[in-house]
Amino acid sequence: MAREKKLWLIVALFSVAILHMQLGVRGVMNPKVPCLFIFGDSLSDSGNNNNLPTDAKVNYSPYGIDFPGGATGRFTNGRTAVDILTQRLGFKNFIPPFANTSGSDTLQGVNYASGSAGIRHETGTHLGTDISLELQLTHHRTIVSQISNRLGGVDKAQQHLNKCLYYMNIGSNDYMNNYFVPQHYPTSRTYNLEQYAKALIQQYSQQIKALHQTGARKFALIGLGFVGCAPHEIATHEKKGPSGCVDEENEAVLIFNDLLKSLVDQFNNELSDSKFIYVNNALIATNSTELAGLKNISTGCCQVGDNGQCIPNRTPCKDRKLYAFWDSFHPTEIINKVVAKRTYRASTPSYTHPMDIQTLVKL
């Protein structure tokens, strides 16, 4: 009997050890970078707009219907692309929004992204208050100061921040909520498409340099998706191409993305202490065989109001995996999964340049 008890105990302990090893592989592994800082717009916002006086906030049902925390302020049904990337990088928890960093471990990073925000300060303000990229950088400097105090000095903070990944996905609103809404902004009367893209990239480059001065060394600059194929843009613009999308808006995206890719090359040459990559978001979202099974790519999954966002508390479509868009602007989690997967590990060199995030974080 004693021998049987001893044998049972050995088996039990062995089982616990195996379970512990499995849990370690799944969720307790060390992240591939010590910290992740996120800058951007509604594609990455995780709640920064919740308490702002703006129409661009989604802290209500059915947003978050497939997210563990429900409606958190994410502009989709589940996880955003950077949420999924965060998990691929090995972080146990999602990166907290700047608006709710109380009690959070900011040493692991902060999410500054804000719905309707842009590279230009005025972008999206016809919808209400947002946190422009310039203001996001101001918030980051506040966090950097806190990290310096916590680690015992600027030098130690810099050593920590140099190892982090800086994810920047912004610019779509500078077109959809600025250039292509002439009733609210004068930019389309001031610039043609080429001039506007150059002005945006020039301003963006200065903002990136300012981030570099705070200690950022590993940058993932995300290119724009084809905004002209968003259901809201198709519904509100008369001129459409053979694809059914708004060709002028997609042309603008391609011009901006080409300049952004060139900026990555320029920075990699000029800033030898840093590494920059460009992610071809437009190509990833339209060229993946994993999305071939989608049955609806032109309308959103939820019922939307005049602002293109889900009407509160309405029941959305049942099979969200068959829809490309959640509302009239934002992708569903199934799209975000593919984008995150190909951003992290590119299956073709045309998706990321000059390397993917998996390679970048190893440097």
Side-chain angles (χ1 to χ4, degrees), residues 9-279:
L9 180 60
I10 292 173
V11 171
L13 290 173
F14 181 74
S15 299
V16 169
I18 292 295
L19 178 61
H20 180 75
M21 290 170 62
Q22 290 174 339
L23 288 173
V25 170
R26 290 178 188 172
V28 193
M29 61 188 293
N30 292 326
K32 294 176 175 62
V33 284
C35 36
L36 170 61
F37 291 99
I38 302 161
F39 301 82
D41 51 31
S42 57
L43 294 174
S44 306
D45 190 351
S46 59
N48 284 311
N49 277 23
N50 288 353
N51 295 318
L52 297 182
T54 176
D55 287 339
K57 57 182 174 183
V58 292
N59 52 338
Y60 59 85
S61 171
Y63 287 96
I65 190 172
D66 299 310
F67 189 78
T72 58
R74 288 168 167 82
F75 288 70
T76 185
N77 59 302
R79 295 166 296 168
T80 63
V82 75
D83 282 334
I84 299 165
L85 180 63
T86 299
Q87 293 175 318
R88 282 186 167 268
L89 287 169
F91 287 93
K92 183 179 179 181
N93 301 310
F94 295 120
I95 303 302
F98 177 79
N100 188 27
T101 55
S102 177
S104 300
D105 184 6
T106 55
L107 286 177
Q108 289 199 330
V110 175
N111 184 337
Y112 306 99
S114 169
S116 81
I119 295 168
R120 294 176 68 94
H121 185 72
E122 81 277 6
T123 289
T125 53
H126 67 288
L127 299 171
T129 302
D130 64 43
I131 308 167
S132 67
L133 181 56
E134 199 66 43
L135 188 51
Q136 291 178 35
L137 293 173
T138 298
H139 289 168
H140 181 61
R141 284 188 280 271
T142 299
I143 293 295
V144 168
S145 178
Q146 293 174 3
I147 290 174
S148 294
N149 291 335
R150 184 171 171 183
L151 295 182
V154 174
D155 290 342
K156 290 184 178 179
Q158 290 293 303
Q159 292 173 14
H160 177 74
L161 294 166
N162 287 171
K163 301 172 185 176
C164 303
L165 176 64
Y166 296 79
Y167 175 98
M168 307 186 76
N169 187 358
I170 199 164
S172 295
N173 287 311
D174 292 293
Y175 289 99
M176 289 193 295
N177 284 314
N178 191 323
Y179 192 86
F180 289 113
V181 281
Q183 66 272 33
H184 295 292
Y185 306 95
T187 45
S188 62
R189 297 186 292 276
T190 306
Y191 306 96
N192 62 31
L193 289 181
E194 289 79 9
Q195 291 169 338
Y196 187 61
K198 288 179 180 179
L200 284 178
I201 291 295
Q202 182 178 10
Q203 185 170 353
Y204 198 17
S205 67
Q206 294 303 313
Q207 293 162 333
I208 293 168
K209 286 180 181 178
L211 183 56
H212 175 267
Q213 290 175 354
T214 68
R217 294 296 181 266
K218 296 181 180 181
F219 296 80
L221 306 184
I222 314 301
L224 307 186
F226 283 126
V227 298
C229 294
H232 181 272
E233 302 307 292
I234 294 172
T236 56
H237 291 78
E238 295 181 359
K239 294 182 180 179
K240 304 179 185 68
S243 66
C245 299
V246 184
D247 284 350
E248 185 183 18
E249 294 192 4
N250 287 344
E251 179 186 353
V253 164
L254 292 175
I255 295 170
F256 178 90
N257 284 350
D258 283 345
L259 291 176
L260 183 60
K261 184 179 179 181
S262 297
L263 183 66
V264 163
D265 289 335
Q266 176 187 327
F267 278 152
N268 279 328
N269 288 329
E270 292 179 356
L271 302 175
S272 58
D273 62 348
S274 304
K275 295 295 180 182
F276 294 79
I277 70 167
Y278 161 74
V279 176

